[in-house]
Amino acid sequence: MWSDHSVMTNRPLPPRSILTLLAALATGGAASNRLTTPVSTSSVIRINQLGYLPNGPKTAVMCVTSDSTPGAAAAVASPITFVVQDTTGRQALGARRASSAGAFGPCAQTYRLDFSSLRTPGRYRVVAGDVRSPIVRIDARAYAGAADTLLYYMRQQRSGFNPTLRDSVHKRDGLIVDHPTRTGEFVNVSGGWADAADYLQYVTTSATATYVMLKARADYPRAFSDNFAANGLPGVNGVDDALDEARHGLEWLLRMFPDDSTMFNQLADDRDHSFFDIPTNDSSDYGWGKGKERPVYPCTGKPQGLFSGKNRATGYASTAGKYASTFALAARAYAGSDPAFAKRLRERALAAYALGVKYPGNCQTAPGRAPYFYEEENWVDDMELGAAELFALTKERPFLDDALGFAAREPVTPWMGADTARHYEWYPWLNHGHDAVWRVADGAGKRQMAAYYRQGLERVVARASNGFRVGIPFIWCSNNLMSAFATQALLYRRMTGDNRFREYEAAALDWLFGANPWGTSMVIGLPWSGTWPHDPHSAMSKQIGIETQLGGLVDGPVYRSIFENLRGIHLFDPDEYAMYNTGFIVYHDDLGDYSSNEPIMDGTGMLTYLLAAMAP
Ligand SMILES: [Ca+2]
Ligand SMILES: [Ca+2]
């Protein structure tokens, strides 16, 4: 078992070039972080490895694992005391008591060790008896460079020219399929990002990631730096790197919506999964030869799937709304710096929205040979966001009326409070529409939007009495839900000044960076000196090196039943987390586990907002 304790220094990754990272790895800088001293007891203290802001909430979570000797579990249910020490062992916070918060997953007991009253920046350990936490960092700059680090992964996912490989990938995109009149026609839709460790590309996820990056840099302009050029190679170009990355997405989205009646939704399909190789060697065969053109799927408003499996598509609006909101927000972003581009974005935003009005319903992704697809069922959230952003752009009142109407049709994103959901059934996980409406609505409208967010947060919190304070369902891509919950709580707090969900917001953020049963950050290389996924489901990682995956958010833990029932899933190596995979949720740092350890583009892009908000 590798742990926890001895080698972590909790240094966030400073902005620097990938070349420096490669050099660090060549000298063994990262590998040494993996193996540390064995756990001496069956209790561990989990912390946010990135650190805590001096004036923010600070909680570590103690987990007493269920393999404790009989009798011990009963004993630890009683209150415990803990202290906080500085790195010399001197007491920085006197003894505090903590009561058991009950069982959770592999933990027979959990305890919340709240040290929020310690505000002095520095490095500490939380100590309970003979159990010591890793080094805890309290620092106003704990999140400096964190949002930028996510962008390393986004650049690495680029299709077209890929800056990590310094080569172009998927040069023949693509041939239209499933179109009433244009099937077989070539259309240039090169660019965008691969969705995950496979190379499928979806408007659903790409537009959402683009939107959130645009919003993150608009709201928190100082969170991002300028260390990369438009093509993703190192270099300064006078544009923050979040906008560079968003523009890479926008250029692809414009190709995918080339005229007012042709709205493409997807590039490639799961026949891509026949090969597990880096994208330059992708030799998937879509029926016209290996490594040739990839299929481009339009929205048709009808169930799609070229083989036996079909989705349940009913319209265009889920995709059309995402195009509209992303283009409209981008039009405002480029109004000053590139008016011609802004004008085109505005025109495409209006056209996309009109198609969404004409064809209400879902445009789901199309399955190929496998039974999996993104089963998005809600579209009013997407049209709400599109309408709100179009109102912000045009100031035309009917858009605001539309947005308010759509908002009332789905006040709470339905996964909130649920035990489970289909794959990407309620997407995006966070409805940014309510926030976009709040920004432009009158007093009554603002109160309504805040109330909608509050209702969703209450439903999750009602399930979160455990010591980790988590109430999300552990469906596939649970880290997306954790990130969405924290972001919604943040937006609600900023809207209202109401701090009632602050503890849960912090707990979700802490979970993503190590305050979880496994004690691992869910973002590759963040912080570089911490514990994070070294063996993700990724051909790039396997063939070239883990450093290519820097900044990638992995799927996160799933219900055991999900892991055990997915096709073709098995671990390649002994499970270093076996001790913590005894409960109802599992996470494996293993190449073979595509359910919990695959980096995901949309989740990474969406996390930029939360980390930008935490930046100094
Ligand atoms: Ca730049
Ligand atoms: Ca939706």
Side-chain angles (χ1 to χ4, degrees):
M1 188 62 222
W2 51 283
S3 71
D4 299 314
H5 300 175
S6 62
V7 298
M8 304 216 304
T9 56
N10 291 285
R11 194 175 59 243
L13 189 75
R16 53 179 165 170
S17 79
I18 194 81
L19 297 174
T20 314
L21 287 168
L22 287 164
L25 280 173
T27 59
S32 62
N33 292 328
R34 280 206 87 182
L35 296 169
T36 61
T37 51
V39 181
S40 60
T41 75
S42 59
S43 297
V44 286
I45 296 175
R46 302 309 196 190
I47 62 161
N48 181 330
Q49 299 174 24
L50 264 178
Y52 300 84
L53 300 180
N55 295 318
K58 304 172 199 73
T59 304
V61 182
M62 185 159 137
C63 164
V64 182
T65 50
S66 52
D67 68 346
S68 304
T69 51
V76 296
S78 55
I80 61 165
T81 60
F82 70 97
V83 299
V84 181
Q85 299 174 349
D86 68 17
T87 50
T88 68
R90 200 162 42 209
Q91 193 163 298
L93 188 69
R96 296 280 193 279
R97 274 164 71 87
S99 300
S100 174
F104 181 82
C107 313
Q109 302 294 337
T110 53
Y111 293 87
R112 291 185 64 72
L113 313 182
D114 184 342
F115 56 102
S116 301
S117 58
L118 180 58
R119 295 191 169 86
T120 310
R123 289 167 183 229
Y124 306 93
R125 287 184 195 273
V126 180
V127 179
D130 63 351
V131 186
R132 292 153 60 80
S133 76
I135 294 282
V136 172
R137 194 161 167 268
I138 298 178
D139 190 337
R141 298 184 57 77
Y143 290 81
D148 263 330
T149 300
L150 301 176
L151 300 181
Y152 280 87
Y153 178 77
M154 298 300 289
R155 287 187 288 270
Q156 179 274 154
Q157 287 294 99
R158 285 192 186 193
S159 193
F161 178 73
N162 182 296
T164 303
L165 296 165
R166 294 184 180 245
D167 197 358
S168 290
V169 302
H170 295 122
K171 300 170 195 172
R172 300 171 183 227
D173 292 334
L175 288 184
I176 299 172
V177 297
D178 194 23
H179 191 283
T181 58
R182 297 175 62 187
T183 291
E185 184 184 321
F186 177 83
V187 58
N188 176 14
V189 290
S190 177
W193 302 284
D195 200 53
D198 55 17
Y199 306 120
L200 281 74
Q201 296 183 228
Y202 306 113
V203 169
T204 298
T205 47
S206 301
T208 301
T210 304
Y211 178 86
V212 177
M213 288 192 289
L214 287 167
K215 177 168 170 162
R217 50 89 58 188
D219 285 1
Y220 303 101
R222 289 185 299 176
F224 297 98
S225 48
D226 174 19
N227 291 314
F228 290 87
N231 65 2
L233 291 173
V236 174
N237 66 345
V239 176
D240 68 82
D241 297 338
L243 188 58
D244 283 328
E245 206 54 34
R247 182 146 186 166
H248 180 76
L250 290 166
E251 303 275 6
W252 183 69
L253 292 169
L254 287 168
R255 290 192 186 102
M256 291 288 283
F257 183 40
D259 63 69
D260 291 2
S261 60
T262 311
M263 178 169 278
F264 294 116
N265 189 52
Q266 174 174 333
L267 173 56
D269 62 41
D270 61 47
R271 283 172 283 176
D272 174 275
H273 296 173
S274 306
F275 291 87
F276 189 65
D277 207 337
I278 61 173
T280 40
N281 299 337
D282 182 14
S283 41
S284 297
D285 185 344
Y286 289 98
W288 37 79
K290 288 187 175 184
K292 297 283 181 57
E293 291 82 358
R294 300 194 294 170
V296 189
Y297 290 78
C299 291
T300 63
K302 301 187 179 85
Q304 286 180 293
L306 299 179
F307 304 100
S308 58
K310 308 284 180 205
N311 67 21
R312 296 181 301 279
T314 57
Y316 288 31
S318 62
T319 292
K322 294 185 185 77
Y323 273 117
S325 56
T326 306
F327 288 156
L329 178 57
R332 286 197 286 146
Y334 283 102
S337 62
D338 192 342
F341 190 53
K343 185 170 173 230
R344 184 154 168 250
L345 289 163
R346 176 192 174 109
E347 179 263 318
R348 300 318 289 149
L350 291 163
Y353 187 78
L355 270 189
V357 170
K358 187 174 178 184
Y359 301 108
N362 313 305
C363 178
Q364 299 176 332
T365 68
R369 301 272 188 201
Y372 308 128
F373 57 98
Y374 288 165
E375 305 180 53
E376 185 174 356
E377 286 289 344
N378 58 352
W379 55 272
V380 293
D381 56 338
D382 307 297
M383 291 297 282
E384 174 193 352
L385 182 56
E389 288 294 350
L390 278 168
F391 178 73
L393 178 66
T394 65
K395 304 291 187 273
E396 292 173 15
R397 175 75 203 197
F399 287 121
L400 180 55
D401 294 336
D402 279 8
L404 288 161
F406 285 127
R409 291 173 66 174
E410 189 178 280
V412 175
T413 304
W415 70 262
M416 305 189 91
D419 283 324
T420 191
R422 293 173 184 269
H423 194 37
Y424 281 60
E425 185 174 5
W426 311 116
Y427 189 84
W429 324 100
L430 162 59
N431 180 4
H432 280 279
H434 293 344
D435 184 47
V437 172
W438 182 86
R439 292 176 190 227
V440 295
D442 62 13
K446 284 185 194 301
R447 283 190 294 280
Q448 188 66 70
M449 295 306 121
Y452 290 163
Y453 270 166
R454 187 179 66 242
Q455 289 165 25
L457 295 166
E458 283 170 345
R459 290 182 195 179
V460 176
V461 164
R463 300 160 43 91
S465 59
N466 55 77
F468 292 97
R469 293 290 188 263
V470 298
I472 64 154
F474 284 91
I475 53 175
W476 200 354
C477 300
S478 69
N479 281 341
N480 277 341
L481 302 188
M482 206 66 86
S483 165
F485 172 83
T487 308
Q488 181 164 327
L490 167 78
L491 293 172
Y492 173 76
R493 182 162 58 85
R494 297 261 157 109
M495 285 175 175
T496 60
D498 178 354
N499 282 315
R500 76 177 78 179
F501 304 115
R502 187 81 195 269
E503 181 185 12
Y504 300 89
E505 174 193 336
L509 177 70
D510 293 346
W511 173 281
L512 292 175
F513 291 99
N516 55 57
W518 307 270
T520 180
S521 167
M522 296 293 172
V523 178
I524 294 170
L526 194 63
W528 191 249
S529 56
T531 299
W532 40 267
H534 282 253
D535 197 11
H537 180 77
S538 158
M540 287 282 284
S541 171
K542 182 173 168 56
Q543 292 191 29
I544 301 178
I546 184 62
E547 70 281 359
T548 62
Q549 302 299 292
L550 174 65
L553 175 71
V554 298
D555 307 294
V558 292
Y559 291 128
R560 173 179 302 285
S561 57
I562 291 180
F563 173 74
E564 289 176 349
N565 289 304
L566 284 168
R567 289 189 181 182
I569 210 163
H570 66 283
L571 302 188
F572 291 177
D573 298 312
D575 179 13
E576 58 272 76
Y577 286 120
M579 183 177 177
Y580 301 108
N581 284 327
T582 58
F584 74 109
I585 51 176
V586 295
Y587 165 77
H588 309 99
D589 184 11
D590 192 289
L591 177 68
D593 186 358
Y594 66 83
S595 74
S596 75
N597 209 37
E598 179 172 355
I600 36 178
M601 182 277 293
D602 67 321
T604 304
M606 280 186 269
L607 187 56
T608 56
Y609 193 86
L610 189 60
L611 295 193
M614 298 293 291

